[in-house]
């Protein structure tokens, strides 16, 4: 597709429940990024993928967060045992493939609003 | 470490006037891209303008232009003939060429006043 598709748009979970978010990157894009935006302000980098391989996971709280990008499936971000502070908008973005032009531009999905109660 | 700083949390401008949003960044990279993204209340992130660091010429896109000062590590956005639809959060971003992630500033909330 020609846009990054994120589902669901909104997700409500009780504290301690699991949350799973999905992202289909633009067809032909090899790089996928997940960002967490809290309070419409700071974008916190979580993880990036090059195809199905983890590219950079330095932002992931590894105890409860995990992510995958498998062939022929949407990418996913899963939060086990959600906490109140996980409430945020989670954005997925993709970019074009290849070498030095990897970061030519990011195309964003419309985000998933996660509310942990 | 790469950092992006936007020192103006909020700004306002009269419709049809010109406004400049500031952004500075810190990096030891020599090849990189700089971006301005707009986030209206719909929360969709929209690319406004992009600058390649190796290009000296400032990027322009219709009413949007940048003032890129590589030595000063400054990348300001000028919006001319401001319109009500320009009301949004604006994020400055930096990405090293071939790097692993994009780095974002904390945003400037711009309000265009009728």
């Amino acid at each position: 597709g020609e846009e990054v598709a994120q589902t669901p748009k909104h997700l409500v979970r009780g504290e301690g429940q699991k949350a799973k978010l999905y992202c289909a990157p633009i067809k032909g894009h090899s790089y996928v990024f997940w960002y967490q935006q809290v309070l419409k302000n700071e974008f916190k980098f979580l993880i990036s993928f090059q195809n199905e391989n983890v590219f950079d996971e330095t932002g992931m709280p590894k105890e409860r967060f995990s992510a995958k990008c498998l062939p022929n499936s949407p990418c996913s971000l899963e939060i086990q045992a959600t906490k109140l502070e996980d409430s945020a908008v989670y954005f997925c973005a993709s970019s074009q493939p290849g070498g030095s032009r990897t970061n030519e531009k990011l195309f964003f999905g419309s985000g998933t609003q996660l509310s942990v109660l | 470490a790469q950092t992006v700083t936007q020192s103006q949390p909020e700004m306002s401008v009269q419709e049809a006037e010109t406004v400049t949003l500031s952004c500075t960044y810190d990096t030891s990279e020599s090849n990189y891209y700089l971006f301005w993204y707009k986030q209206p209340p719909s929360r969709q992130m929209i690319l406004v303008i992009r600058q390649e660091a190796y290009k000296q010429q400032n990027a322009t896109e219709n009413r949007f232009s940048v003032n890129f000062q590589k030595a000063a590590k400054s990348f300001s956005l000028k919006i001319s003939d401001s319109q009500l639809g320009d009301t949004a959060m604006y994020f400055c971003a930096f990405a090293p060429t071939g790097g692993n992630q994009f780095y974002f500033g904390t945003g400037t909330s711009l309000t265009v006043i009728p």
Side-chain angles (χ1 to χ4, degrees), chain A residues 9-10 33 35 37 40-41 43 45 48 55-56 58 89 91 99-106 108-113, chain B residues 33 35 37 39 41-47 50 52 54 89 91 95-107:
Chain A
K9 291 195 183 306
H10 298 95
F33 302 78
Y35 283 86
Q37 187 183 28
K40 295 188 178 182
N41 212 326
F43 278 85
F45 170 76
S48 58
F55 199 33
D56 183 343
T58 53
V89 179
F91 283 96
S100 63
R101 301 184 74 76
T102 304
N103 289 332
E104 194 168 311
K105 61 180 73 168
L106 267 184
F108 281 83
S110 56
T112 293
Q113 171 78 62
Chain B
Y33 294 93
F35 309 83
Y37 279 89
Q39 188 180 40
S42 66
R43 89 176 179 222
Q44 179 69 51
M45 287 285 280
I46 302 163
L47 178 64
R50 175 176 61 93
E52 297 167 10
Y54 67 87
M89 283 289 289
F91 290 92
T97 303
N100 304 342
Q101 59 173 285
F102 285 60
Y103 300 85
F104 288 85
T106 51

Side-chain angles (χ1 to χ4, degrees), chain A residues 25-78:
Chain A
I26 292 173
K27 189 176 180 180
H29 282 194
S30 299
Y31 293 87
V32 172
F33 302 78
W34 284 99
Y35 283 86
Q36 178 194 57
Q37 187 183 28
V38 179
L39 297 176
K40 295 188 178 182
N41 212 326
E42 183 178 349
F43 278 85
K44 179 180 184 293
F45 170 76
L46 295 175
I47 191 168
S48 58
F49 288 85
Q50 180 180 10
N51 297 311
E52 63 268 27
N53 302 308
V54 174
F55 199 33
D56 183 343
E57 58 181 348
T58 53
M60 285 285 271
K62 292 185 181 177
E63 314 81 55
R64 298 182 299 108
F65 284 61
S66 62
K68 294 178 185 177
C69 276
L70 300 176
N72 303 313
S73 296
C75 296
S76 64
L77 176 69
E78 188 168 335

